[in-house]
Amino acid sequence: MREHAKINRTLLALLGLVLLGGGLLMLAGGADIYRRFHLMPPAGLPLAASHNVLVPSADQTRWTGTSWWWPAIIAALALLLLLALAWLLSQRRRHPRQLTVADSSEESVTVSNHALSDAVTTDLTMLPGVRGSHALFYGKHTHPQAHIGLTLGPGTRPEQILEGLYDAVGRARRSAGWDSLPTRVDLRVARHSPHRVE
């Protein structure tokens, strides 16, 4: 699992726990559970009984005479929106249009991401037992990573195509002149239509 995926899941789990805990506390107050079961609500909980409201009247009218509160609220919400957008954009994989490769004279040459992806895909499709494949390069254009998806035919075992997979990735890495090519491989098995017996 990649590092940003771990961070995302941890943050989402913490946010979910906070929202779930707050919702359960408010639900317990609104359903009057504290009084029914003689429980002590948490200190400062506004909705501790069914006749309470979440925002008391005094709090609703506290800032009506001031003019700075609504710009502060709008600024805080705008900042929250910008942070959410930045987080969303950071999740996208960068797929560079051009990949920098090196030729024998060590001069940098660029090749189309689409062309190199098609070449690797064609190479992988030729492997025995592979019904379909796709390859995609993402990350930095000088040190990309590869994401390969293979669809295996029924009865094909993954170990049967591992050697060919290593060879295909190695050829792509050597032909581009890269020192390394981190690769993620997703395997699927093609569904076969049921046989009818008469």
Short mmCIF file of all heavy atoms in Angstrom, two decimals, residues 3 20 26 41 51 60 64 79 85 97 112 114-115 117-119 121 123 133 143 145 155 158-159 179 195:
data_model
loop_
_atom_site.label_atom_id
_atom_site.label_comp_id
_atom_site.label_asym_id
_atom_site.label_seq_id
_atom_site.Cartn_x
_atom_site.Cartn_y
_atom_site.Cartn_z
N GLU A 3 2.19 5.18 0.48
CA GLU A 3 2.18 5.99 1.70
C GLU A 3 0.97 6.91 1.76
O GLU A 3 0.33 7.04 2.79
CB GLU A 3 3.48 6.81 1.77
CG GLU A 3 3.70 7.49 3.09
CD GLU A 3 3.87 6.50 4.23
OE1 GLU A 3 4.35 5.38 3.99
OE2 GLU A 3 3.50 6.85 5.36
N LEU A 20 -18.91 9.99 14.05
CA LEU A 20 -19.77 8.97 14.63
C LEU A 20 -19.97 9.22 16.13
O LEU A 20 -21.10 9.16 16.64
CB LEU A 20 -19.16 7.58 14.41
CG LEU A 20 -19.93 6.40 15.02
CD1 LEU A 20 -21.31 6.28 14.38
CD2 LEU A 20 -19.14 5.11 14.87
N MET A 26 -25.19 13.37 20.29
CA MET A 26 -26.37 14.18 20.00
C MET A 26 -27.64 13.33 19.95
O MET A 26 -28.71 13.74 20.41
CB MET A 26 -26.19 14.94 18.68
CG MET A 26 -25.06 15.94 18.71
SD MET A 26 -25.28 17.16 20.01
CE MET A 26 -23.66 17.87 20.09
N PRO A 41 -24.42 13.27 31.27
CA PRO A 41 -23.93 13.65 29.93
C PRO A 41 -22.56 14.31 30.05
O PRO A 41 -22.19 14.83 31.11
CB PRO A 41 -24.99 14.64 29.44
CG PRO A 41 -25.60 15.18 30.68
CD PRO A 41 -25.55 14.08 31.69
N HIS A 51 -35.52 18.47 25.51
CA HIS A 51 -36.06 19.82 25.41
C HIS A 51 -34.98 20.86 25.11
O HIS A 51 -35.30 22.02 24.88
CB HIS A 51 -36.78 20.20 26.72
CG HIS A 51 -35.87 20.20 27.91
ND1 HIS A 51 -35.64 19.05 28.63
CD2 HIS A 51 -35.14 21.19 28.48
CE1 HIS A 51 -34.80 19.33 29.62
NE2 HIS A 51 -34.49 20.63 29.55
N GLN A 60 -27.33 32.33 19.53
CA GLN A 60 -27.79 32.72 18.20
C GLN A 60 -27.74 34.23 18.00
O GLN A 60 -27.52 34.71 16.90
CB GLN A 60 -29.22 32.22 17.98
CG GLN A 60 -29.34 30.71 17.93
CD GLN A 60 -30.78 30.27 17.78
OE1 GLN A 60 -31.62 31.02 17.29
NE2 GLN A 60 -31.08 29.04 18.21
N THR A 64 -24.97 39.19 16.51
CA THR A 64 -25.75 39.96 15.55
C THR A 64 -25.38 41.43 15.53
O THR A 64 -25.55 42.11 14.51
CB THR A 64 -27.25 39.84 15.86
OG1 THR A 64 -27.48 40.21 17.23
CG2 THR A 64 -27.74 38.42 15.63
N LEU A 79 -11.14 28.73 3.45
CA LEU A 79 -9.89 28.02 3.74
C LEU A 79 -10.10 26.51 3.79
O LEU A 79 -9.30 25.74 3.26
CB LEU A 79 -9.31 28.52 5.06
CG LEU A 79 -8.01 27.87 5.52
CD1 LEU A 79 -6.90 28.13 4.50
CD2 LEU A 79 -7.60 28.38 6.89
N LEU A 85 -9.80 20.97 -1.61
CA LEU A 85 -9.44 20.89 -3.02
C LEU A 85 -7.98 20.49 -3.21
O LEU A 85 -7.65 19.71 -4.10
CB LEU A 85 -9.72 22.23 -3.70
CG LEU A 85 -11.19 22.56 -3.96
CD1 LEU A 85 -11.32 23.97 -4.53
CD2 LEU A 85 -11.81 21.55 -4.90
N ARG A 97 2.75 13.48 -20.30
CA ARG A 97 2.54 13.19 -21.71
C ARG A 97 3.82 12.69 -22.37
O ARG A 97 3.77 11.88 -23.29
CB ARG A 97 2.05 14.46 -22.43
CG ARG A 97 0.67 14.90 -21.99
CD ARG A 97 0.22 16.09 -22.79
NE ARG A 97 -1.11 16.51 -22.37
CZ ARG A 97 -1.76 17.54 -22.89
NH1 ARG A 97 -1.19 18.27 -23.83
NH2 ARG A 97 -2.96 17.85 -22.46
N SER A 112 6.63 9.63 -26.29
CA SER A 112 5.25 9.76 -25.86
C SER A 112 4.90 8.67 -24.84
O SER A 112 5.25 7.49 -25.03
CB SER A 112 4.32 9.66 -27.07
OG SER A 112 2.99 9.48 -26.67
N HIS A 114 1.98 7.59 -24.30
CA HIS A 114 1.02 6.71 -24.97
C HIS A 114 1.75 5.67 -25.82
O HIS A 114 1.37 4.48 -25.85
CB HIS A 114 0.08 7.55 -25.83
CG HIS A 114 -1.02 6.77 -26.48
ND1 HIS A 114 -2.06 6.20 -25.77
CD2 HIS A 114 -1.24 6.44 -27.78
CE1 HIS A 114 -2.87 5.57 -26.60
NE2 HIS A 114 -2.39 5.70 -27.82
N ALA A 115 2.80 6.09 -26.54
CA ALA A 115 3.52 5.16 -27.41
C ALA A 115 4.23 4.08 -26.59
O ALA A 115 4.18 2.89 -26.94
CB ALA A 115 4.53 5.93 -28.26
N SER A 117 3.46 3.11 -23.54
CA SER A 117 2.43 2.28 -22.92
C SER A 117 1.89 1.26 -23.92
O SER A 117 1.68 0.09 -23.57
CB SER A 117 1.29 3.15 -22.39
OG SER A 117 1.74 4.02 -21.38
N ASP A 118 1.67 1.68 -25.18
CA ASP A 118 1.19 0.75 -26.20
C ASP A 118 2.20 -0.34 -26.49
O ASP A 118 1.83 -1.51 -26.70
CB ASP A 118 0.87 1.51 -27.49
CG ASP A 118 -0.45 2.27 -27.41
OD1 ASP A 118 -1.20 2.04 -26.44
OD2 ASP A 118 -0.73 3.08 -28.31
N ALA A 119 3.49 0.03 -26.52
CA ALA A 119 4.53 -0.97 -26.79
C ALA A 119 4.58 -2.03 -25.69
O ALA A 119 4.65 -3.24 -25.97
CB ALA A 119 5.88 -0.28 -26.93
N THR A 121 2.13 -2.76 -23.60
CA THR A 121 0.86 -3.49 -23.64
C THR A 121 0.90 -4.58 -24.70
O THR A 121 0.48 -5.72 -24.47
CB THR A 121 -0.30 -2.52 -23.92
OG1 THR A 121 -0.38 -1.57 -22.86
CG2 THR A 121 -1.62 -3.26 -24.01
N ASP A 123 3.57 -6.03 -25.89
CA ASP A 123 4.52 -7.04 -25.42
C ASP A 123 3.87 -7.98 -24.42
O ASP A 123 4.07 -9.20 -24.46
CB ASP A 123 5.72 -6.33 -24.80
CG ASP A 123 6.97 -7.20 -24.80
OD1 ASP A 123 6.90 -8.31 -25.34
OD2 ASP A 123 7.99 -6.77 -24.26
N SER A 133 -4.33 -6.86 -21.58
CA SER A 133 -3.38 -6.15 -20.73
C SER A 133 -3.47 -4.66 -21.01
O SER A 133 -3.94 -4.23 -22.06
CB SER A 133 -1.95 -6.64 -20.99
OG SER A 133 -1.54 -6.30 -22.30
N HIS A 143 11.74 9.75 -13.87
CA HIS A 143 11.76 8.51 -13.08
C HIS A 143 10.32 8.03 -12.86
O HIS A 143 9.78 8.12 -11.77
CB HIS A 143 12.44 8.74 -11.73
CG HIS A 143 13.87 9.12 -11.83
ND1 HIS A 143 14.28 10.44 -11.92
CD2 HIS A 143 15.00 8.37 -11.90
CE1 HIS A 143 15.59 10.48 -12.01
NE2 HIS A 143 16.06 9.24 -12.00
N GLN A 145 6.84 5.54 -12.80
CA GLN A 145 6.44 4.25 -12.28
C GLN A 145 5.44 3.66 -13.26
O GLN A 145 4.80 4.38 -14.01
CB GLN A 145 5.80 4.40 -10.90
CG GLN A 145 6.71 5.01 -9.86
CD GLN A 145 6.02 5.19 -8.53
OE1 GLN A 145 5.13 4.43 -8.18
NE2 GLN A 145 6.42 6.20 -7.79
N GLY A 155 -7.76 -20.86 -15.85
CA GLY A 155 -6.78 -21.93 -15.71
C GLY A 155 -5.34 -21.47 -15.73
O GLY A 155 -4.44 -22.26 -15.47
N PRO A 158 -0.76 -17.37 -11.97
CA PRO A 158 0.12 -16.19 -12.03
C PRO A 158 1.59 -16.54 -12.20
O PRO A 158 2.32 -15.85 -12.93
CB PRO A 158 -0.13 -15.51 -10.67
CG PRO A 158 -1.48 -15.94 -10.27
CD PRO A 158 -1.63 -17.34 -10.80
N GLU A 159 2.05 -17.63 -11.58
CA GLU A 159 3.47 -17.97 -11.69
C GLU A 159 3.86 -18.35 -13.11
O GLU A 159 5.04 -18.29 -13.47
CB GLU A 159 3.84 -19.09 -10.72
CG GLU A 159 3.06 -20.37 -10.89
CD GLU A 159 1.84 -20.44 -10.00
OE1 GLU A 159 1.37 -19.37 -9.54
OE2 GLU A 159 1.33 -21.54 -9.76
N ASP A 179 17.33 3.55 -14.64
CA ASP A 179 18.00 2.68 -13.67
C ASP A 179 17.02 1.74 -13.00
O ASP A 179 17.37 0.61 -12.66
CB ASP A 179 18.72 3.53 -12.60
CG ASP A 179 19.85 4.35 -13.18
OD1 ASP A 179 20.43 3.89 -14.19
OD2 ASP A 179 20.14 5.44 -12.65
N HIS A 195 -20.55 -23.79 -19.90
CA HIS A 195 -20.77 -24.76 -20.96
C HIS A 195 -22.15 -25.42 -20.76
O HIS A 195 -22.51 -25.83 -19.67
CB HIS A 195 -19.69 -25.84 -20.92
CG HIS A 195 -18.31 -25.28 -21.12
ND1 HIS A 195 -17.86 -24.85 -22.34
CD2 HIS A 195 -17.30 -25.10 -20.25
CE1 HIS A 195 -16.62 -24.42 -22.23
NE2 HIS A 195 -16.25 -24.55 -20.95
#
